[in-house]
Amino acid sequence: AEYWPKTGVIVTVRHPVKWLVSLYNYFKIEKGRHRANVTVADMLAPGSRDANGDTKHFVSTAKGEFHAMLAELGKTPLADSTEWNLLQPWLKKSSVDTIQQHRLPNPIFFMEINQLADTNTTRAQQFAHDLEAFIGLSQGHLPPVLHVRPNTDRVKLQHTDHLKMDICAREHAPVLQEMVAISRSASQWFQDYFIKSPDVSVSSREYLIELLDQWKVNPCEEKELPKEQARI
């Protein structure tokens, strides 16, 4: 904010429920913590935070509160109860003065991770053009997006599928409930407030909103019900 106030910031988000599962699997498998006992209590907020509000454990629902974290950039009004209903209890009202005092002036390019794998050629090209314009590159400068999964072969050889998290299992119900609540509030806050900020740029707004709307669907209910019935 002091030295590079005009430098563009690129922010990428992912469905919080799917993100948590990925983080858990990464911790258990790719970080080699096969025998680490990650309990529901460890993962749940607010119990997952220490006295300073920082997360105490590598795998934590608190790390998935993307909307509360991005609200601290000061890009939205934080003035009405409707917005605060979407941010609480993950962001405290007492932090408003600090947020406004340290508001980040930098422009932001905001995307949902699935936009990087868009199979719609027209939208994918538009996304590349919009990103090029944001970071000051000439059109056609960016190459196609690469999709690489490091350590894939090594992980396969370890036969560690049994370590992966089944977020739909009964034992993880409290974690799923917390992450679904975060996902739904975050989806609405991004749509109603964050991407409406004049400091925030997006590509293919309608498609982005479509992706964010998918955050409102409980992935475990979606497995069992027709799509239209899974929505609440």
Side-chain angles (χ1 to χ4, degrees):
E2 183 175 354
Y3 295 107
W4 298 284
K6 296 183 180 180
T7 299
V9 177
I10 299 172
V11 174
T12 310
V13 293
R14 182 182 185 185
H15 191 306
V17 177
K18 297 177 181 179
W19 164 87
L20 182 77
V21 172
S22 179
L23 182 67
Y24 179 97
N25 294 342
Y26 172 76
F27 177 77
K28 293 285 282 188
I29 299 171
E30 297 190 39
K31 283 186 70 70
R33 305 296 181 87
H34 300 177
R35 299 177 182 176
N37 184 28
V38 184
T39 69
V40 168
D42 290 338
M43 288 186 277
L44 279 177
S48 59
R49 295 187 183 277
D50 61 20
N52 296 318
D54 297 322
T55 53
K56 295 188 292 185
H57 303 282
F58 188 88
V59 183
S60 168
T61 60
K63 290 183 176 180
E65 299 164 6
F66 306 139
H67 64 316
M69 298 175 195
L70 291 172
E72 294 187 86
L73 301 181
K75 297 299 186 183
T76 65
L78 296 175
D80 61 74
S81 58
T82 304
E83 181 175 7
W84 276 105
N85 285 340
L86 297 172
L87 292 169
Q88 290 182 305
W90 306 290
L91 185 67
K92 296 180 180 179
K93 280 191 174 183
S94 58
S95 61
V96 171
D97 290 341
T98 301
I99 292 172
Q100 293 176 343
Q101 182 180 353
H102 300 285
R103 180 184 179 277
L104 191 76
N106 304 64
I108 290 175
F109 187 90
F110 177 77
M111 72 178 88
E112 212 270 5
I113 198 169
N114 285 293
Q115 289 183 275
L116 294 173
D118 193 356
T119 56
N120 181 303
T121 304
T122 302
R123 273 199 315 252
Q125 290 178 343
Q126 185 61 53
F127 177 85
H129 294 164
D130 291 338
L131 185 55
E132 286 165 341
F134 179 78
I135 58 182
L137 294 176
S138 57
Q139 188 170 314
H141 185 92
L142 289 176
V145 177
L146 296 176
H147 299 280
V148 179
R149 294 201 64 178
N151 302 322
T152 299
D153 293 336
R154 178 179 62 78
V155 169
K156 284 182 179 179
L157 290 173
Q158 292 177 339
H159 304 290
T160 51
D161 282 352
H162 66 286
L163 296 172
K164 292 182 178 179
M165 176 188 234
D166 179 5
I167 190 66
C168 301
R170 186 183 300 273
E171 63 187 283
H172 291 132
V175 176
L176 175 65
Q177 182 179 8
E178 173 73 3
M179 293 311 299
V180 168
I182 290 172
S183 298
R184 290 172 175 170
S185 292
S187 169
Q188 205 62 51
W189 182 79
F190 283 133
Q191 294 183 53
D192 293 348
Y193 295 94
F194 194 65
I195 66 174
K196 290 183 178 180
S197 167
D199 289 345
V200 178
S201 300
V202 301
S203 181
S204 301
R205 183 176 293 262
E206 290 185 3
Y207 178 54
L208 172 62
I209 291 175
E210 179 184 323
L211 291 173
L212 290 172
D213 271 338
Q214 293 175 15
W215 291 22
K216 298 177 182 178
V217 180
N218 181 333
C220 297
E221 291 178 356
E222 194 174 31
K223 287 182 179 180
E224 302 171 0
L225 300 172
K227 190 171 183 178
E228 62 274 11
Q229 295 181 32
R231 295 181 181 272
I232 295 178

